[in-house]
Amino acid sequence: MKTYPRVLTIAGSDSGGGAGIQADIKAISATGSYAASAITAVTVQNTLGVSAVHNVPVEIIEGQIDAVLGDIGADAVKIGMLGNAATVRAVVRSLAKFEVPYIVLDPVMVATSGDRLLDEDAVEVLLSELAPLATVITPNIPEAEILSGVSIRSGEDLPEVGRRISEAVSGIGGSKVSVLMKAGHLDDGEVVDYLYDAAQNRTVELRSPRIESRNTHGTGCTLSSALASYLAQGFGLEQAAVKAKEYISEAIRNGSEYSIGHGHGPVKFF
């Protein structure tokens, strides 16, 4: 019998469908893998912002992860919105029970609309307990500044900040955590992301033209999910990152032609 490349996404639900679990499932499916999910929070959300968050009880979060990994399994796990320290620790406990080849951690802290999605006291727990388990972390610039404590003034700062984050979280059991620094928040004419490959101790540039679009809701979720999907399919980290970058760039380009909602709309996943 054939098998699917399997990706478990652990993240919050976006009722508007443009980010979170909904975006993850679409992106994983569009890039050719099978998506399973564990929902950490239910958000009241649309293209204009987040108006309420209901955190799922930790025993239900652990139950979802155990149910999926104990039966279906996963070739990669993507982690997004966690909300609070208790949820971070619940995910750590669950993942410790299973062997997962790849873990992609998107350290979701603030939504595109500016709404905070991770409690301040959870940041240290994420850094010390969850991040060291990751294969690769995918912070945007505001998230990278929080994780590193360094103010990012230009794209030239990104390679060094990525290396610093990697060094700060690597080490448990000899782990080497790579970092994909996303440059979308800068104003440069070209979007140059940087992948610090910790195993190879080298930094790779990922370039794409900047596409003018208001439909950028959920781009971080979408990119990290595509990265997990390609890792699950057996691509190496650098090749998976290149393919994920190509996918999100085309999703933004094609999505710019559409109008959904009155705020930041979604990309075109398919």
Side-chain angles (χ1 to χ4, degrees):
M1 295 293 289
K2 295 180 180 179
T3 59
Y4 298 103
R6 304 154 299 168
V7 180
L8 167 63
T9 168
I10 304 170
S13 168
D14 171 11
S15 52
I21 285 283
Q22 287 83 350
D24 296 347
I25 291 172
K26 293 171 189 176
I28 292 164
S29 302
T31 53
S33 297
Y34 178 84
S37 64
I39 297 174
T40 59
V42 177
T43 69
V44 179
Q45 184 174 177
N46 55 24
T47 65
L48 297 172
V50 181
S51 57
V53 176
H54 170 71
N55 292 311
V56 173
V58 292
E59 62 270 21
I60 300 299
I61 296 171
E62 291 187 61
Q64 292 176 87
I65 298 171
D66 291 356
V68 172
L69 295 183
D71 174 35
I72 298 169
D75 301 297
V77 168
K78 177 268 168 104
I79 303 171
M81 176 187 173
L82 298 176
N84 56 48
T87 297
V88 176
R89 291 193 170 105
V91 171
V92 171
R93 286 194 299 270
S94 289
L95 292 180
K97 303 174 189 176
F98 303 93
E99 290 188 14
V100 178
Y102 301 103
I103 297 175
V104 178
L105 173 60
D106 186 23
V108 176
M109 298 178 183
V110 180
T112 302
S113 57
D115 299 285
R116 190 168 185 94
L117 299 175
L118 182 70
D119 292 348
E120 290 186 22
D121 63 356
V123 174
E124 179 55 39
V125 180
L126 184 143
L127 275 170
S128 62
E129 298 184 28
L130 181 58
L133 304 180
T135 306
V136 57
I137 305 174
T138 62
N140 59 29
I141 286 175
E143 292 160 353
E145 289 181 330
I146 293 172
L147 294 174
S148 67
V150 175
S151 178
I152 296 172
R153 296 179 175 82
S154 72
E156 295 178 354
D157 297 331
L158 298 184
E160 178 58 27
V161 173
R163 184 186 298 270
R164 285 194 187 191
I165 294 172
S166 173
E167 291 174 350
V169 301
S170 296
I172 294 180
S175 68
K176 291 184 178 293
V177 182
S178 298
V179 180
L180 174 57
M181 297 286 292
K182 299 178 295 192
H185 282 76
L186 296 176
D187 295 326
D188 302 334
E190 187 177 29
V191 181
V192 185
D193 300 335
Y194 290 90
L195 171 68
Y196 174 64
D197 186 334
Q200 303 297 324
N201 189 28
R202 75 190 198 104
T203 299
V204 179
E205 292 185 2
L206 303 172
R207 295 179 173 271
S208 65
R210 182 171 295 277
I211 302 159
E212 293 302 322
S213 175
R214 75 170 190 169
N215 297 329
T216 56
H217 181 50
T219 49
C221 305
T222 304
L223 174 63
S224 56
S225 295
L227 178 57
S229 179
Y230 289 126
L231 288 171
Q233 293 169 31
F235 292 99
L237 178 59
E238 182 177 336
Q239 190 175 8
V242 169
K243 290 178 71 66
K245 172 79 168 181
E246 291 173 349
Y247 169 72
I248 187 59
S249 296
E250 288 304 305
I252 295 171
R253 183 190 311 280
N254 288 288
S256 66
E257 302 172 359
Y258 291 81
S259 177
I260 293 183
H262 297 88
H264 293 286
V267 301
K268 189 175 183 182
F269 296 95
F270 295 96

